[in-house]
C-alpha cells in the first residue's frame, strides 16, 4: 500500500507492475493528482498511471505552492528519470501540459520519452492570455470556473471548498504568468493534442502551434466534450488514449509470453504469422477459405510476392545505439504510431459474424488505422462508430454509376474517414479458379454489399417491391467499371477534399500520370495480393521504380505478400512510407474475432520493433536501401533510391 506522506509527489493510483507502458499525468491549475482517478481506472491494465501531486495541496498541503512551472518540472523529471525502463508517456491537462512539456525536455537528456499528450492547452511558445486572478474578485473567478465546468455546482456552494480552490488557482496562475515561453524549443517525442469541441478556451487554430515544438510529429485529435472532458470516463477519450499508448510496437508481448510460459501458459494463437493460414483453414468452409486464400490463375503472382521478400537479404549494422526505437511515421500529414495499416478486405462476415466491426475494433485496440472496403458487410457509418477516434480510411471501388460514387464518397467524409483509397486494379474480377470451382462469390449471397444497400442513390435505382435477388442483380449491374479511364480521375477531386491515394499501381508511368493530373496525393503499390492478374510483377519488385519516379514529396505505400516484421523493414528500406497488411489479419479474425486481429497486429509490430533493433536502427527513417542486398538483376541505382522524409 502506498504511504501518502507530505513528500509524496507521485501517486500510483492503480499499481500495475506488469503494465506495458506508464502514463505520468500532470494536473491543471488548481487541480490535484486525484483529478485523474477516473481516467486511471478506465484505462486498460497494460497502462500504469502515475499522477503528479504539486506542492501546496492534499497530502503536500503544508508545503508552499511552486512559484514557477520550471520548479514543478524539475521535481517531476527527477522522480521519473528512474522509470524509463518501459515506455513512458506524459499527459498534461491545461496548465499541466506546460509542466509535462518542460518535464519531457528534461527527461530527453536522460533517455527517450515515448510521447507527450496534451489536453485543453495552447502551445508553450504562445501567450496564453490568462487574466491576473489576483486582480479579480472571488465572484469573477468563480464565474469563470462555472463557464469552464469541471467542478460540481454543489462544491461551489461550500465556502471552505471554494476558499481552497481559489487559493490554489491563484497560486498556480502566478506561476503560469511567470512562465518563460520557449518559442524555439522542440522535443524529439511525438505530441498528441486532444481538443474538445466544446472547450471555450481553445480552438483548432490555437493548438496547431504545438507542431512547432516537436520533431517527432504532431497530431490534433478532436473529441466531444468541454474543457475538462479528459478527466471523465468518456469512452471516446479513453479508447483513443488506450490505442495511442499501447500502439507502440509492443515490447511487452514477448515478455508477456515468456512470463506466462513459466507457469506453462502458451499463446492461444501461433505467433508465426506465416502459419496462421493453415490454422484458419480448419475453421472456414472450403468455399470461404478459397475466397480468402485463393489467387488468380495458377497463383504465380501470389508466389512472386513472397519470393520478392525472400530474395532480398538484410545487411544489419552493429553497435548503433538502437536501445529505444520509434516506429512512428507521418503519412498524409497524419502521425501514425507504426508504419502499418490494415488493408481493405471485402465481405468479412463470411470469415466471422462481426466482420469489419471486429477487425476495426481489433485495429483500434493496437492503434493501427483501418482501411474499409467498399465491399464491406457492415456500412461505413457502422464501422466509423466502432472505430471511435481511431484513424480510418475508405477504399473506393468506383461504380459505373457516377451519382452512386459521389454518394459513397460523401458518406465517408461525413463519417470521419480521413483519406480515400481508390482501387484501380480491379475493373472486373480476376480469373480465380478456387472461387470458380466452388461456384462461390460472397456478394451474390448478400455478403459485402452493405454500403450499397444502405445508400440512397443505390436504393433509388431498385424496382418497386424488390426482393433479395433484385438487390443482388442491381449490385452486379453497378459494381464493375471496366470503362474507367484517366480522363475520369479529375472528377473525383471535385467531389471530395479528402486526400486520395491510388491503389493498384505497378508501372512507374501510371504513378507519374496520376500525379500529373493533379487528382491524387499518393500511390499504393499493389497487385491486389495476387488475386487479379496472374503473372504480374511482384509489388515489392515494382516499388523502387515507382518511388524513383514520384520522388521524395509523394506518399508511397505498398501491400501484397507482407507477412513478417522483416518484410515490413524491407519494404520501408526500399522506399515505402508504410505498408498495408491483408490476409494475415483475416486469418486472425477467423480464429478469434477482434482478439485475433489484435493478436496478429501485436505480433507483427513486436517483430517490426525487434527487426528495427537488430538492423541497428532507432527510427523508421534510419531504414535505408544500403541495409539490403540488391535483388538479382536489380540495378544498384534502383536500390539506392532516396527515402521519403517521414517527418522525423
Amino acid at each position: 500500500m502506498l504511504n501518502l506522506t507530505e513528500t509524496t509527489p507521485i501517486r500510483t493510483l492503480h499499481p500495475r507492475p506488469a503494465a506495458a507502458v506508464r502514463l505520468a499525468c500532470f494536473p491543471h491549475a488548481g487541480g490535484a493528482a486525484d483529478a485523474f482517478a477516473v481516467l486511471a481506472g478506465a484505462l486498460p491494465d497494460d497502462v500504469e498511471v502515475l499522477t503528479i501531486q504539486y506542492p501546496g495541496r492534499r497530502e503536500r498541503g503544508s508545503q508552499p505552492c511552486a512559484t514557477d512551472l520550471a520548479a514543478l518540472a524539475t521535481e517531476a523529471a527527477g522522480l521519473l528519470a528512474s522509470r524509463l525502463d518501459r515506455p513512458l508517456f506524459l499527459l498534461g491537462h491545461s496548465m499541466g501540459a506546460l509542466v509535462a512539456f518542460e518535464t519531457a525536455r528534461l527527461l530527453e537528456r536522460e533517455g527517450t520519452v515515448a510521447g507527450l499528450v496534451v489536453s485543453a492547452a495552447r502551445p508553450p511558445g504562445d501567450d496564453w492570455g490568462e487574466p491576473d486572478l489576483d486582480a479579480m474578485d472571488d465572484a469573477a473567478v468563480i464565474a469563470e470556473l462555472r463557464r469552464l465546468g469541471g467542478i460540481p455546482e454543489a462544491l461551489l456552494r461550500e465556502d471552505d471548498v471554494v476558499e481552497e480552490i481559489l487559493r490554489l488557482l491563484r497560486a498556480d496562475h502566478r506561476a503560469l504568468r511567470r512562465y518563460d515561453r520557449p518559442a524555439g524549443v522542440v522535443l524529439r517525442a511525438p505530441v498528441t493534442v486532444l481538443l474538445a469541441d466544446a472547450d471555450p478556451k481553445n480552438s483548432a487554430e490555437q493548438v496547431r502551434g504545438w507542431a512547432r515544438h516537436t520533431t517527432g510529429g504532431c497530431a490534433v485529435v478532436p473529441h466531444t466534450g468541454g474543457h475538462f472532458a479528459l478527466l471523465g470516463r468518456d469512452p471516446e477519450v479513453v479508447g483513443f488514449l488506450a490505442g495511442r499508448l499501447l500502439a507502440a510496437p509492443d515490447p511487452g508481448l514477448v515478455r508477456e509470453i515468456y512470463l506466462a510460459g513459466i507457469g506453462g501458459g502458451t499463446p492461444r494463437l501461433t505467433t508465426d504469422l506465416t502459419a496462421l493460414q493453415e490454422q484458419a483453414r480448419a475453421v472456414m468452409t472450403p468455399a470461404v477459405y478459397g475466397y480468402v486464400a485463393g489467387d488468380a490463375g495458377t497463383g504465380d503472382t501470389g508466389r512472386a510476392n513472397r519470393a520478392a521478400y525472400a530474395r532480398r537479404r538484410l545487411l544489419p549494422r552493429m553497435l548503433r545505439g538502437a536501445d529505444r526505437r520509434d516506429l512512428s511515421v507521418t503519412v498524409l500529414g497524419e502521425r501514425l504510431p507504426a508504419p502499418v495499416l490494415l488493408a481493405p478486405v471485402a465481405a468479412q462476415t463470411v470469415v466471422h459474424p462481426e466482420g469489419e466491426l471486429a477487425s476495426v475494433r481489433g485495429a483500434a485496440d493496437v492503434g493501427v488505422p483501418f482501411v474499409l472496403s467498399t465491399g464491406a458487410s457492415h456500412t461505413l457509418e457502422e464501422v466509423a462508430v466502432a472505430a471511435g477516434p481511431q484513424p480510418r480510411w475508405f477504399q473506393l471501388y468506383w461504380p459505373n454509376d457516377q451519382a452512386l460514387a459521389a454518394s459513397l464518397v460523401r458518406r465517408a467524409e461525413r463519417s470521419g474517414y480521413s483519406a480515400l483509397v481508390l482501387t484501380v486494379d480491379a475493373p472486373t474480377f480476376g480469373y480465380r479458379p478456387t472461387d470458380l470451382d466452388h461456384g462461390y462469390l460472397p456478394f451474390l449471397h448478400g455478403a459485402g454489399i452493405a454500403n450499397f444497400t444502405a445508400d440512397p442513390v443505390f436504393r433509388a435505382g431498385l424496382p418497386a417491391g424488390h426482393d433479395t435477388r433484385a438487390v443482388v442483380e442491381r449490385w452486379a449491374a453497378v459494381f464493375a467499371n471496366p470503362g474507367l479511364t484517366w480522363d475520369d480521375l479529375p472528377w473525383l477531386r471535385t467531389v471530395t477534399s479528402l486526400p486520395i491515394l491510388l491503389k493498384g499501381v505497378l508501372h512507374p508511368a501510371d504513378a507519374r500520370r496520376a500525379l500529373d493530373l493533379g487528382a491524387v496525393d499518393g500511390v499504393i503499390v499493389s497487385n491486389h495480393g495476387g488475386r487479379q492478374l496472374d503473372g504480374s510483377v511482384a509489388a515489392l519488385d515494382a516499388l523502387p521504380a515507382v518511388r524513383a519516379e514520384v520522388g521524395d514529396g509523394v506518399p508511397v505505400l505498398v501491400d501484397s505478400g507482407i507477412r513478417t516484421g522483416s518484410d515490413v523493414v524491407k519494404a520501408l528500406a526500399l522506399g515505402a512510407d508504410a505498408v498495408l497488411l491483408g490476409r494475415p489479419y483475416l486469418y486472425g479474425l477467423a480464429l478469434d474475432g477482434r482478439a485475433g486481429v489484435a493478436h496478429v497486429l501485436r505480433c507483427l509490430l513486436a517483430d517490426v520493433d525487434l527487426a528495427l533493433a537488430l538492423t541497428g536502427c532507432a527510427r523508421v527513417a534510419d531504414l535505408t536501401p544500403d541495409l539490403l542486398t540488391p535483388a538479382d538483376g536489380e540495378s544498384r541505382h534502383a536500390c539506392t533510391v532516396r527515402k521519403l522524409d517521414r517527418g522525423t
Side-chain angles (χ1 to χ4, degrees), residues 173-210:
H173 268 251
R174 291 184 207 113
L176 182 57
R177 290 198 306 277
R178 294 189 185 102
Y179 181 56
D180 183 15
R181 295 184 294 276
V185 174
V186 296
L187 302 175
R188 297 191 303 273
V191 175
T192 302
V193 184
L194 301 179
L195 177 65
D197 59 4
D199 186 348
K201 290 190 70 172
N202 299 284
S203 67
E205 184 66 28
Q206 290 167 328
V207 302
R208 285 194 188 102
W210 276 99

Side-chain angles (χ1 to χ4, degrees), residues 214-563:
T214 175
T215 60
C218 178
V220 177
V221 179
H223 61 90
T224 57
H227 188 72
F228 288 98
L230 170 73
L231 304 182
R233 194 183 285 270
D234 185 289
E236 182 183 17
V237 175
V238 172
F240 169 78
L241 276 177
R244 174 69 185 92
L245 302 176
L246 297 174
D250 191 355
L253 174 68
V254 174
R255 182 185 69 238
E256 173 188 309
I257 290 173
Y258 284 142
L259 287 175
I262 296 173
T266 58
R268 179 174 178 179
L269 303 183
T270 178
T271 58
D272 179 357
L273 300 188
T274 67
L276 278 173
Q277 180 172 340
E278 283 306 308
Q279 285 194 352
R281 184 173 192 163
V283 301
M284 297 183 194
T285 66
V288 168
Y289 176 78
Y291 170 72
V292 173
D295 290 324
T298 65
D300 181 59
T301 300
R303 291 189 295 272
N305 283 331
R306 290 301 301 140
Y309 284 99
R311 198 166 60 245
R312 290 168 173 84
R313 296 297 185 207
L314 291 163
L315 287 171
R317 303 298 302 275
M318 301 297 126
L319 303 177
R320 291 172 61 166
D323 56 325
R324 297 179 185 275
R325 276 84 61 198
D326 176 10
L327 265 69
S328 61
V329 295
T330 298
V331 179
L332 297 174
E334 188 170 37
R335 196 70 175 176
L336 307 182
V340 176
L341 302 90
L342 287 192
V345 180
Q348 294 187 21
T349 51
V350 303
V351 170
H352 186 277
E354 295 180 7
E356 295 85 3
L357 300 181
S359 292
V360 75
R361 287 169 178 145
D365 289 341
V366 186
V368 170
F370 182 79
V371 186
L372 178 71
S373 172
T374 299
S377 295
H378 294 280
T379 68
L380 60 90
E381 291 85 2
E382 291 170 329
V383 173
V385 171
Q390 186 66 21
R392 55 196 177 272
W393 298 355
F394 180 67
Q395 177 265 342
L396 177 67
Y397 285 120
W398 191 327
N400 61 30
D401 181 330
Q402 189 161 290
L404 176 57
S407 181
L408 288 167
V409 171
R410 287 168 179 150
R411 286 170 57 199
E413 280 192 321
R414 290 194 299 269
S415 298
Y417 291 81
S418 58
L420 192 67
V421 176
L422 175 62
T423 295
V424 292
D425 62 356
T428 185
F429 290 113
Y431 187 81
R432 303 175 186 172
T434 50
D435 292 342
L436 293 169
D437 288 351
H438 289 105
Y440 181 73
L441 191 63
F443 311 100
L444 302 184
H445 296 265
I449 62 173
N451 282 321
F452 293 87
T453 58
D455 194 277
V457 174
F458 181 87
R459 292 200 306 267
L462 291 171
H466 61 270
D467 57 11
T468 301
R469 184 179 181 86
V471 171
V472 172
E473 288 176 349
R474 168 69 176 154
W475 171 85
V478 300
F479 179 76
N481 194 358
L484 199 66
T485 72
W486 290 106
D487 293 337
D488 296 310
L489 205 55
W491 173 82
L492 189 60
R493 177 56 75 199
T494 70
V495 177
T496 181
S497 60
L498 292 176
I500 300 172
L501 291 153
L502 201 65
K503 183 176 184 290
V505 173
L506 294 172
H507 200 295
D510 284 346
R512 171 49 53 198
R513 186 165 187 179
L515 295 171
D516 288 346
L517 286 170
V520 305
D521 301 278
V523 296
I524 301 176
V525 179
S526 171
N527 57 31
H528 219 91
R531 293 168 60 79
Q532 282 299 97
L533 176 63
D534 191 30
S536 67
V537 65
L540 189 70
D541 287 339
L543 172 62
V546 171
R547 166 54 77 200
E549 180 64 32
V550 302
D552 289 352
V554 178
V556 175
L557 288 76
V558 67
D559 68 14
S560 303
I562 293 164
R563 297 292 181 270

Side-chain angles (χ1 to χ4, degrees), residues 129-137 141 170 173-174 177:
E130 292 291 329
D132 183 354
L133 298 192
D134 289 327
M136 297 171 61
D137 61 30
V141 177
R170 286 190 166 113
H173 268 251
R174 291 184 207 113
R177 290 198 306 277

